[in-house]
Amino acid sequence: MTLQFTNTLTRRTEAFQPRVPGEVSIYCCGVTVYDLCHLGHARSYIVWDVLRRYLIWSGYRVTFVQNITDIDDKILKRAAEEGSSMQAVSERNITAFRDDMAALNILPPDKVPCATQCLEGIRAMIGELEASGAAYSAAGDVYFAVLGQPDYGKLSGRSLSEQQQGASGRLNTEEESRKRHPFDFALWKGVKPGEPSYPSPWGPGRPGWHIECSAMVRQELGLTIDIHLGGSDLIFPHHENEIAQSEAANGEPLAHYWLHNGMVNVDGEKMSKSLGNFTTIRSLLASGVSAMTLRFFVLQAHYRKPLDFTTEALAAAAAGWQGLNQALGLGLKPSLQSLLAWDGEVVSEEAEDAKEAEDALLICRAAFVAAMDDDLNTSAALAVLFDLVRPLRALARRLERGDQLSAEDQDLQGRWQLLQELSGVLGLEQEASPEPDPDAEAGPDQAEIQTLISERLAARQAKRYGDADAIRDRLRAKGIELIDRPDGTTEWIQRGA
């Protein structure tokens, strides 16, 4: 099998063929920095990080660009609420975004253009669209004319006639009334009182959201790229509008492959602030859930399917990661380090045993590649890792009992090294477990856990955060991880349960 992706544009699973052999250009839609990143961002960027790692591991030279939107209505609204500025809000959340991505072991992009740094390219593209008749200006605004694009809707599969249904009332506002068609979208927005603005041939203002990405793709990667990434919520209108304006300006396809990840649900409902089930990355990590547990949880589901975040699913992921983490940690065992460093010929009673062990590893590697080539099937790839893990966990138990290693254990050297290599492709790295308190008593029972959780809640409500953190650390030392939910309740997981 060759590497295949499900292409949103064609609605088919297609073999991947980069434009330039051995090289891959990727653009990933980034964040609008008005707030902290949430679980939806974690899901998306973990998945695309694995895609990038796999392409690199497969021998491709990858250029990965991920933008930051630092001009937006939401940022302006947040700045007004805080009595701050758009720049201050953006800079604070850009720093938080980078910290969150590093915590999840997500590789930094090769290039990270910000909208405020690409204004020249944005204005140039808008000018080209207007000159060609694909866009028109109206009272300081500039709009893209969707009726001039006969294939508009090819990504989402939506026709303009279908979109028109239910559109009555869209022209009521002054801004909407300037449009020639309800679905024309803004490329440039004229200045409004109290908002920051930038000069342009159409007067002071700021760019629309969609044009930012088109200009940044062209600036950083050229007219056409190999892969464009994003969440499925961006298919329409954002990515649809990107295609329309880029291809009208450039006369070339914007991207050959469009990949979209599924959304995150919480207990079966779409995650949203209005439902009170909104969870940020850092709040989840601060609650005691490890970064690798979260990464493992995300990779258990296929990237195109919805991901349901529940306490039970996270607990199962924590248990699964613990087994994998234990096997990865074998390389830190002094009794095994000499075995792993051993570079002579395999000592075995039968040479055929060594050949069988080598063949088994080749089969595991091939199965891993087949899973990843099948539209990035990380769930099947994790199953391969656990095939590698089983004998290593048996070895770990023998080491814990103090058993001596035998000659046959040298066959496990290659298994551990392959496990480490393939785990790295998924961005899963050995994670140190919190050291238990040697003077601690036996783990608390459920009644005691609930009592401590109640005491912690009372401490937090009284703003005695030091006391609350001490209770959390006390439980963690006994193998109990706490998960604070958006509705104010706290769930707990017992590691290894």
Side-chain angles (χ1 to χ4, degrees):
M1 179 185 294
T2 58
L3 179 57
Q4 299 183 89
F5 297 128
T6 297
N7 190 347
T8 306
L9 183 63
T10 63
R11 296 164 186 77
R12 295 194 303 266
T13 300
E14 302 171 342
F16 176 61
Q17 294 182 329
R19 296 171 304 112
V20 179
E23 299 182 9
V24 183
S25 55
I26 300 177
Y27 183 85
C28 178
C29 273
V31 289
T32 300
V33 285
Y34 72 98
D35 204 347
L36 296 173
C37 290
H38 52 68
L39 287 178
H41 294 122
R43 200 273 171 96
S44 186
Y45 298 143
I46 286 172
V47 164
W48 304 140
D49 180 63
V50 169
L51 167 65
R52 182 184 179 192
R53 288 172 181 268
Y54 182 64
L55 289 170
I56 293 171
W57 182 75
S58 300
Y60 290 100
R61 294 185 297 277
V62 178
T63 303
F64 191 95
V65 176
Q66 183 174 3
N67 75 300
I68 288 178
T69 295
D70 57 350
I71 309 173
D72 188 78
D73 290 340
K74 292 180 179 179
I75 303 174
L76 291 171
K77 183 175 182 290
R78 181 58 52 87
E81 292 170 349
E82 297 177 355
S84 182
S85 67
M86 184 177 73
Q87 182 179 3
V89 172
S90 296
E91 289 180 352
R92 181 184 74 233
N93 286 308
I94 287 172
T95 298
F97 167 73
R98 289 172 176 160
D99 291 344
D100 288 346
M101 296 301 101
L104 295 177
N105 196 31
I106 293 173
L107 298 172
D110 296 309
K111 300 178 181 179
V112 190
C114 292
T116 53
Q117 300 167 350
C118 301
L119 290 169
E120 183 178 348
I122 290 171
R123 287 187 289 250
M125 181 172 277
I126 295 174
E128 294 167 22
L129 290 168
E130 185 181 30
S132 69
Y136 58 93
S137 59
D141 295 342
V142 183
Y143 297 100
F144 185 87
V146 296
L147 290 180
Q149 304 302 312
D151 61 353
Y152 184 81
K154 63 183 179 181
L155 182 69
S156 63
R158 302 186 185 192
S159 67
L160 285 176
S161 60
E162 291 173 335
Q163 296 169 37
Q164 182 65 51
Q165 296 176 8
S168 59
R170 289 178 59 93
L171 301 178
N172 289 342
T173 68
E174 180 182 350
E175 181 179 353
E176 292 292 339
S177 68
R178 292 196 287 268
K179 296 181 180 182
R180 296 176 183 172
H181 188 278
F183 295 103
D184 291 351
F185 55 90
L187 303 175
W188 188 264
K189 299 179 179 182
V191 65
K192 295 179 181 178
E195 291 187 356
S197 64
Y198 307 89
S200 81
W202 312 279
R206 55 189 174 89
W209 176 36
H210 311 300
I211 194 66
E212 295 175 9
C213 285
S214 287
M216 285 189 262
V217 169
R218 187 165 78 170
Q219 173 179 300
E220 303 294 349
L221 295 170
L223 303 184
T224 302
I225 63 174
D226 292 305
I227 304 174
H228 198 302
L229 305 173
S232 59
D233 59 326
L234 298 179
I235 294 174
F236 185 87
H238 184 51
H239 288 168
E240 195 75 76
N241 292 348
E242 268 194 74
I243 290 175
Q245 63 202 9
S246 289
E247 297 185 357
N250 301 331
E252 299 287 344
L254 174 55
H256 288 177
Y257 300 87
W258 289 81
L259 276 59
H260 294 92
N261 64 273
M263 294 294 97
V264 172
N265 298 323
V266 178
D267 291 327
E269 292 186 300
K270 181 180 178 180
M271 186 180 69
S272 69
K273 289 185 177 180
S274 62
L275 293 175
N277 60 2
F278 184 87
T279 303
T280 65
I281 294 171
R282 56 184 47 200
S283 67
L284 184 63
L285 297 181
S287 73
V289 176
S290 77
M292 290 297 106
T293 292
L294 179 55
R295 193 173 181 111
F296 182 92
F297 170 71
V298 166
L299 298 180
Q300 285 181 306
H302 194 279
Y303 76 90
R304 289 189 294 109
K305 296 180 179 179
L307 179 65
D308 197 16
F309 182 84
T310 67
T311 302
E312 295 76 17
L314 192 61
W321 166 243
Q322 183 190 39
L324 179 54
N325 190 42
Q326 182 184 34
L328 287 171
L330 278 173
L332 304 178
K333 303 282 186 181
S335 52
L336 192 63
Q337 286 176 356
S338 59
L339 178 66
L340 295 175
W342 186 81
D343 59 1
E345 294 183 3
V346 173
V347 177
S348 178
E349 295 179 4
E350 299 289 344
E352 292 181 1
D353 292 343
K355 180 64 167 60
E356 289 178 2
E358 182 179 346
D359 290 345
L361 295 185
L362 291 174
I363 291 171
C364 284
R365 180 184 289 271
F368 180 87
V369 170
M372 296 296 285
D373 280 354
D374 183 17
D375 197 20
L376 214 65
N377 190 341
T378 54
S379 177
L382 285 174
V384 175
L385 297 190
F386 279 100
D387 286 341
L388 290 167
V389 160
R390 289 186 187 94
L392 292 172
R393 293 195 68 182
L395 174 62
R397 288 192 292 270
R398 296 199 336 260
L399 288 173
E400 290 174 359
R401 293 197 302 266
D403 294 354
Q404 294 298 313
L405 297 177
S406 64
E408 286 76 12
D409 290 323
Q410 290 169 345
D411 290 342
L412 298 178
Q413 174 189 19
R415 181 174 288 267
W416 181 84
Q417 289 173 331
L418 181 60
L419 174 66
Q420 188 179 48
E421 177 187 351
L422 300 185
S423 295
V425 176
L426 301 181
L428 295 168
E429 296 183 351
Q430 200 274 328
E431 197 171 46
S433 300
E435 290 296 330
D437 183 355
D439 298 324
E441 301 174 358
D445 58 25
Q446 292 194 21
E448 183 182 355
I449 292 172
Q450 292 300 335
T451 298
L452 290 171
I453 288 175
S454 298
E455 292 177 2
R456 178 171 174 265
L457 177 60
R460 294 175 70 187
Q461 291 174 340
K463 297 185 179 181
R464 292 185 285 105
Y465 299 116
D467 293 343
D469 289 344
I471 294 172
R472 182 194 63 200
D473 293 341
R474 175 181 169 187
L475 286 169
R476 184 180 295 168
K478 297 176 181 291
I480 304 298
E481 290 187 358
L482 301 182
I483 303 172
D484 294 321
R485 303 298 300 274
D487 60 4
T489 61
T490 299
E491 304 286 345
W492 59 273
I493 298 171
Q494 185 168 4
R495 292 192 301 272

